[in-house]
Amino acid sequence: YNKHKNRSFINDLSSRFFNYMMKLSSDYSFDHNSNMFRILTSKAVNEVLNFKETQPSLTYIMGLINLPTTGIELEFGKREFGKTNYSLKSQFSLALNSILSFSTKPLRAISLFGFTISFFSFIYLLFVLVQKFFTSYGGLGWGTVIVLITFFGGIQLLAIGIIGEYIGRIFLQSKNRPRYVIEEKFGDL
């Protein structure tokens, strides 16, 4: 576990933001305070090798196999020579790959956003109709145009989100992740 890691304020802030976003967007529960440095048993190595992902993230795969672990608190020393070659672009790429590999919630967010837009455009339609029939405001038809554009835009986002849900399920199925990890077998099977 990271007790204190010598990194810049920006790196620390971006790491915390990424962990927060992963916690929000992931379909799984992970330990976000862990490192890439690990000592693995042969059982854990075999389980990790069962994941045939093209862009694996060891931190999150370890959370999926859920074998017993022990944490060791670390305090990082200062780097004495050289600089890291892990650029901001590489960090962003890792973050994006992790979110996309372990979550379908962004697709659900698109559906929810589309539904919300359609709902509020319908509420606005009621406002426009009340204004048209119960007040003296003649209007030039702009309210109807706004309602139609936002309502159909929301319906399109909702439809894209629903299609995205299907594609997300196909995507997760295509990863062919093991459904279960058998920690111990009893008896003759």
Side-chain angles (χ1 to χ4, degrees), residues 17-53:
F17 178 72
F18 168 70
N19 288 336
Y20 174 75
M21 291 305 293
M22 273 303 286
K23 188 179 271 190
L24 279 180
S25 67
S26 179
D27 297 330
Y28 307 99
S29 176
F30 299 109
D31 179 14
H32 297 288
N33 194 29
S34 64
N35 255 310
M36 293 292 192
F37 305 109
R38 297 173 189 273
I39 298 172
L40 302 174
T41 64
S42 60
K43 171 77 174 148
V45 169
N46 290 334
E47 292 301 333
V48 168
L49 292 175
N50 284 332
F51 287 80
K52 307 293 184 206
E53 312 213 3

Side-chain angles (χ1 to χ4, degrees), residues 30-120:
F30 299 109
D31 179 14
H32 297 288
N33 194 29
S34 64
N35 255 310
M36 293 292 192
F37 305 109
R38 297 173 189 273
I39 298 172
L40 302 174
T41 64
S42 60
K43 171 77 174 148
V45 169
N46 290 334
E47 292 301 333
V48 168
L49 292 175
N50 284 332
F51 287 80
K52 307 293 184 206
E53 312 213 3
T54 57
Q55 297 170 329
S57 172
L58 185 59
T59 300
Y60 300 110
I61 287 176
M62 292 303 294
L64 289 178
I65 64 174
N66 204 23
L67 290 173
T69 61
T70 299
I72 299 172
E73 197 170 274
L74 294 177
E75 185 162 338
F76 287 83
K78 292 234 183 237
R79 181 187 289 262
E80 295 195 21
F81 300 103
K83 289 175 51 177
T84 181
N85 291 327
Y86 206 61
S87 67
L88 185 62
K89 181 181 175 186
S90 298
Q91 291 175 2
F92 182 76
S93 178
L94 173 67
L96 188 62
N97 286 334
S98 296
I99 288 173
L100 294 177
S101 291
F102 292 92
S103 179
T104 57
K105 286 184 181 176
L107 298 172
R108 290 187 187 119
I110 291 171
S111 298
L112 181 64
F113 187 60
F115 177 78
T116 303
I117 288 174
S118 295
F119 175 77
F120 282 115

